[in-house]
């Protein structure tokens, strides 16, 4: 029996357009062996489209991808288009319209990719940041007044709901129960007087329902320091939208290259498609030069396989990646090698 999945492809800007083809090639290669096929619908939603059309995506864009099984995105952002325009014109509408309230970011130090931290060893650093992805500090509530005047002001409201905290805490606790049984909750309740104590209370309430999982709460500043000093101590980190965003990029740097880091924007109930994307950004400085590391997109594709119900195929992709990196003969420049995007992808496809 074969299974076919319909995937929406949004390459986006810069190196996003260079890393999506390697990811789909890997999907097709591993899919053939597992009886999985993919059909791809491409969408040109990007800053380039914004420059020509005045919008990152068309007015009916969400309806066009609502029925797909998953979304694979490259990167969004380009000089001349403010970042808040590209983010709020594409990524955030997709995340919120499709209730992708879990942002999942696995981090691991892999053999063959040295961490900048001498104490971060392959096989020892293996953690997941579970970032709340739909509310928190990234709300639309607020505004600006008296623009250009000495009295100009800006107000931005953070929004934390019990339902939002419960569902992200439950996801993190359930994940930890399948791993090493330890959750670290990022907070700043000593300085943020309303939302963070509320976050702490609800996370602790949920943890009581998971007796096999240990919960520890850490203030974000101390947590950032500990993530650098002792990254192997962490298993699952659960955090609000802002804290999770910062911690996951910090953790990716600990792993040796942000070019490796994947992410999944998940709708766990599967009522809507989930979206998978590398976190490296569009990197305009290296775009078009065959220098992009495709691993973040390929690892994101592996996460997509897991989400679509094909964990064996997803694991096979990661096994091939780990083996290629461990051999150390074909690596991109950000990982200390000399290979370009195309050469690295060919070697990985040969291995698969």
């Amino acid at each position: 029996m074969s299974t076919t999945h319909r995937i929406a492809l949004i390459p986006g800007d810069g190196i996003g357009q260079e890393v999506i083809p390697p990811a789909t090639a890997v999907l097709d290669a591993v899919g053939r062996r597992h009886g999985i096929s993919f059909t791809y619908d491409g969408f040109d939603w990007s800053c380039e489209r914004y420059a020509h059309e005045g919008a990152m995506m068309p007015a009916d864009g969400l309806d066009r991808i609502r029925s797909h099984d998953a979304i694979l995105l490259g990167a969004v952002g380009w000089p001349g288009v403010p970042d808040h325009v590209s983010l709020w014109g594409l990524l955030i509408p997709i995340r919120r319209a499709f209730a992708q309230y879990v942002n999942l970011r696995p981090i691991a130090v892999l053999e063959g990719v040295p961490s900048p931290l001498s104490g971060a060893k392959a096989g020892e650093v293996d953690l997941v940041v579970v970032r709340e992805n739909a509310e928190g500090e990234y709300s639309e509530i607020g505004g600006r007044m008296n623009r250009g005047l000495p009295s100009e002001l800006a107000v931005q409201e953070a929004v934390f709901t019990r339902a939002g905290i419960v569902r992200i805490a439950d996801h993190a606790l359930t994940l930890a129960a399948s791993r090493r049984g330890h959750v670290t909750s990022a907070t700043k309740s000593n300085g943020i007087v309303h939302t963070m104590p509320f976050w702490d209370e609800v996370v602790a309430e949920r943890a009581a329902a998971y007796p096999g999982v240990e919960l520890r709460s850490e203030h974000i500043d101390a947590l950032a320091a500990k993530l650098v000093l002792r990254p192997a101590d962490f298993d699952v980190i659960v955090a609000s939208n802002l804290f999770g965003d910062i911690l996951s990029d910090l953790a990716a740097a600990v792993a040796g290259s942000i070019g490796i880091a994947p992410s999944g924007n998940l709708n766990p109930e599967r009522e809507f498609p989930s979206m998978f994307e590398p976190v490296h950004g569009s990197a305009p400085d290296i775009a078009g030069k065959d220098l992009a590391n495709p691993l973040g997109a390929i690892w994101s594709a592996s996460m997509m396989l897991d989400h679509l119900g094909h964990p064996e195929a997803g694991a096979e992709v990661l096994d091939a990646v780990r083996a290629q990196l461990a051999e150390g003969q074909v690596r991109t420049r950000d990982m200390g090698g000399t290979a370009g995007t195309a050469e690295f992808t060919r070697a990985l496809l040969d291995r698969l």
Side-chain angles (χ1 to χ4, degrees):
M1 294 289 291
S2 62
T3 302
T4 300
H5 294 293
R6 186 179 174 211
I7 309 300
L9 296 182
I10 308 176
D13 301 297
I15 65 170
Q17 300 183 23
E18 300 173 51
V19 299
I20 288 298
T24 57
V26 166
L27 285 171
D28 291 336
V30 75
R32 283 191 291 270
R33 196 158 44 250
H34 288 267
I36 312 164
S37 60
F38 301 92
T39 61
Y40 304 106
D41 297 319
F43 299 89
D44 67 345
W45 305 344
S46 61
C47 290
E48 183 177 2
R49 186 188 190 281
Y50 178 85
H52 291 95
E53 304 287 340
M56 296 291 295
M57 63 177 172
D60 65 344
L62 294 174
D63 290 333
R64 294 189 188 186
I65 60 176
R66 188 180 301 273
S67 298
H68 285 77
D69 294 310
I71 305 160
L72 191 58
L73 185 140
V76 176
W78 198 253
V81 178
D83 288 341
H84 70 273
V85 170
S86 58
L87 186 66
W88 285 90
L90 183 61
L91 294 184
I92 289 182
I94 291 174
R95 290 171 177 173
R96 297 193 174 178
F98 296 154
Q100 296 170 352
Y101 60 84
V102 173
N103 187 273
L104 198 66
R105 297 196 178 186
I107 305 292
V109 174
L110 304 177
E111 187 178 351
V113 185
S115 168
L117 305 179
S118 60
K121 307 296 185 183
E124 296 179 3
V125 178
D126 180 2
L127 61 98
V128 182
V129 177
V130 179
R131 167 191 171 191
E132 200 289 316
N133 208 34
E135 52 180 47
E137 301 88 352
Y138 294 0
S139 82
E140 297 177 76
I141 300 174
R144 290 173 65 177
M145 292 179 59
N146 303 332
R147 292 174 184 260
L149 300 176
S151 59
E152 184 173 5
L153 65 86
V155 175
Q156 179 76 49
E157 301 284 356
V159 176
F160 287 75
T161 66
R162 176 172 288 274
I165 302 171
V166 164
R167 64 189 184 182
I168 198 67
D170 282 350
H171 194 91
L173 290 159
T174 300
L175 179 61
S178 69
R179 289 171 51 90
R180 302 199 304 274
H182 183 233
V183 170
T184 303
S185 174
T187 185
K188 190 58 180 172
S189 52
N190 60 343
I192 302 176
V193 69
H194 297 303
T195 57
M196 285 290 98
F198 180 45
W199 168 278
D200 292 348
E201 292 164 14
V202 177
V203 171
E205 288 173 10
R206 299 311 304 159
Y210 296 79
V213 177
E214 178 189 354
L215 173 68
R216 181 175 71 227
S217 185
E218 292 275 6
H219 290 138
I220 184 64
D221 41 358
L223 176 54
K226 291 178 181 179
L227 192 55
V228 171
L229 294 172
R230 299 195 301 275
D233 289 355
F234 296 95
D235 180 18
V236 174
I237 299 174
V238 63
S240 67
N241 215 329
L242 176 61
F243 291 171
D245 196 0
I246 295 169
L247 286 173
S248 53
D249 279 10
L250 172 62
V254 167
S257 172
I258 200 169
I260 298 175
S263 75
N265 302 273
L266 305 183
N267 171 239
E269 293 77 16
R270 302 172 189 269
E271 298 171 331
F272 304 100
S274 294
M275 179 168 61
F276 301 85
E277 57 173 318
V279 304
H280 50 56
S282 58
D285 56 323
I286 64 169
K289 299 179 181 178
D290 192 42
L291 295 176
N293 185 345
L295 268 187
I298 291 168
W299 194 344
S300 297
S302 171
M303 294 176 68
M304 187 179 78
L305 286 168
D306 292 343
H307 181 75
L308 292 174
H310 309 292
E312 298 86 358
E316 197 168 295
V317 171
L318 284 189
D319 288 345
V321 167
R322 290 176 185 273
Q324 181 156 317
L325 294 178
E327 285 185 5
Q329 297 179 357
V330 183
R331 290 181 292 176
T332 52
R333 294 186 185 183
D334 60 299
M335 298 185 292
T338 60
T341 312
E343 180 185 352
F344 184 91
T345 303
R346 283 194 301 270
L348 186 62
L349 289 172
D350 288 345
R351 187 178 297 276
L352 279 169

